[in-house]
Amino acid sequence: MKQLNIKNIVVLTGAGISAESGIPVFRSETGLWENHRVEDVCTPEAYDRNPALVRNFYDGMRVKLANIKPNPAHLALARLGREWKGGYTLVTQNIDNLHEQAGSENVIHMHGELMKIRCYEDYGGCGTVVETDRPQDPEQPCPNCGKKLLRPHIVWFGEMPLDMDLISERLSKSDLFISIGTSGVVYPAAGFVRSAKFAGAVTVEFNLEPSATKGYFDAGVYGKAGTTLPDFVDRLLSRGSEYISELIRGA
Ligand code: BV8
């Protein structure tokens, strides 16, 4: 096997990394979205039909987030971001702010952020993004254009995820792609491992069980991320490429 020389790391996280912090994952037995049907709360059409229902859905999650703390998996990634000597990109599908609370910086939230609202361009708004930590007041005017068109700054199904050009550029230069706590069913995020592989990266997934895209991973580390990730980061920082070679040889 060719000698690995890992420089650039890209990490993708999903709901599974926040599960041990108490945030439920999406794919539950009932297939409902926190007791709602996806099409009723997570599409532009749902918002057109019933903006109050959609706002209330995210208001509920935002208020709960105030009492939720990062877990050792978030802390391990914050340490990796601080101590890794090469390139490091953290992309998350999650809308919570647990990576930031754990100390991660420059987090790419490709599906938006719960603690932000945006002046809705489709309705004639200006696109300005506003931080918030409280339930949304539909009468709140945009601080930039003054219109009352603020909506959750969340990427719904059928909407284009954020920062896709930046993500594609980092994937094209990745030497190691690490996917953590995602079922690999929603695109384009689920396709990132394929892009990384085509760029020649080593690919590793962390999950409770193999994901839908398991075939693209050179190795899988199965167990709770709060336990598996700190150990992985420790070994990666102390032994680098040699450890990754060992991991994929043993896969
Ligand atoms: C787009 C924000 C195009 C909202 C989210 C047919 C085929 C293929 C694709 C499509 C299709 N029809 C439509 C599409 C596209 C669609 C899609 O992929 N649909 C799927 C359902 C088939 N995608 C989109 O619409 C995307 N946009 O394609 O735009 C476009 C082009 C041009 C112009 C305009 C548009 C946008 C998708 C974004 C939707 N928003 N989130 C909110 O959060 O409320 S999606 C949401 O679900 C997440 O963000 C994430 O992306 C996705 C999946 O969730 P996961 O994070 O994976 O969580 P999940 O519960 O599924 O899994 C948890 C995992 O963790 C499990 O594997 C579990 O085992 C593991 N786990 C649990 N505990 C732990 C653990 N692992 C480790 N440790 C633990 N302790």
Side-chain angles (χ1 to χ4, degrees), residues 38-39 42-45 111 120 122 151 154-161 186-188:
V38 170
E39 50 274 30
C42 191
T43 62
E45 296 75 19
H111 289 163
Y120 196 3
D122 290 12
R151 58 159 272 185
I154 303 285
V155 176
W156 292 323
F157 284 96
E159 293 188 315
M160 179 59 86
V186 172
Y187 286 80

Side-chain angles (χ1 to χ4, degrees), residues 35-224:
N35 305 320
H36 287 272
R37 293 181 327 142
V38 170
E39 50 274 30
D40 293 341
V41 288
C42 191
T43 62
E45 296 75 19
Y47 187 71
D48 295 345
R49 226 178 10 252
N50 188 341
L53 171 73
V54 175
R55 271 198 304 275
N56 294 341
F57 174 62
Y58 289 104
D59 286 347
M61 289 162 83
R62 187 177 306 119
V63 168
K64 266 194 280 184
L65 186 56
N67 304 314
I68 291 179
K69 295 290 162 246
N71 66 63
H74 296 105
L75 294 165
L77 287 185
R79 179 186 170 206
L80 182 60
R82 273 194 311 276
E83 299 179 21
W84 180 253
K85 295 284 174 282
Y88 179 78
T89 305
L90 173 55
V91 184
T92 186
Q93 299 171 87
N94 300 340
I95 58 177
D96 65 53
N97 61 0
L98 296 180
H99 283 304
E100 289 86 350
Q101 283 193 50
S104 285
E105 295 179 349
N106 306 316
V107 181
I108 300 176
H109 281 272
M110 65 177 289
H111 289 163
E113 298 177 66
L114 200 48
M115 307 306 276
K116 291 181 179 171
I117 50 181
R118 185 177 87 246
C119 191
Y120 196 3
E121 306 87 335
D122 290 12
Y123 283 12
C126 66
T128 298
V129 176
V130 181
E131 303 259 350
T132 183
D133 61 0
R134 63 203 61 234
Q136 208 189 325
D137 169 6
E139 291 305 304
Q140 179 186 350
C142 168
N144 176 55
C145 73
K147 293 180 183 169
K148 295 175 181 174
L149 297 172
L150 292 164
R151 58 159 272 185
H153 184 48
I154 303 285
V155 176
W156 292 323
F157 284 96
E159 293 188 315
M160 179 59 86
L162 308 172
D163 298 317
M164 285 302 292
D165 292 344
L166 174 62
I167 295 168
S168 300
E169 191 258 333
R170 296 293 173 86
L171 287 169
S172 69
K173 294 176 181 152
S174 61
D175 304 305
L176 174 60
F177 177 76
I178 303 168
S179 175
I180 304 158
T182 182
S183 54
V185 298
V186 172
Y187 286 80
F192 289 173
V193 60
R194 189 164 174 266
S195 308
K197 199 128 193 75
F198 289 157
V202 172
T203 54
V204 184
E205 77 165 346
F206 287 76
N207 203 307
L208 298 178
E209 62 201 4
S211 71
T213 49
K214 68 178 182 307
Y216 284 106
F217 288 98
D218 297 310
V221 181
Y222 298 113
K224 289 188 170 185

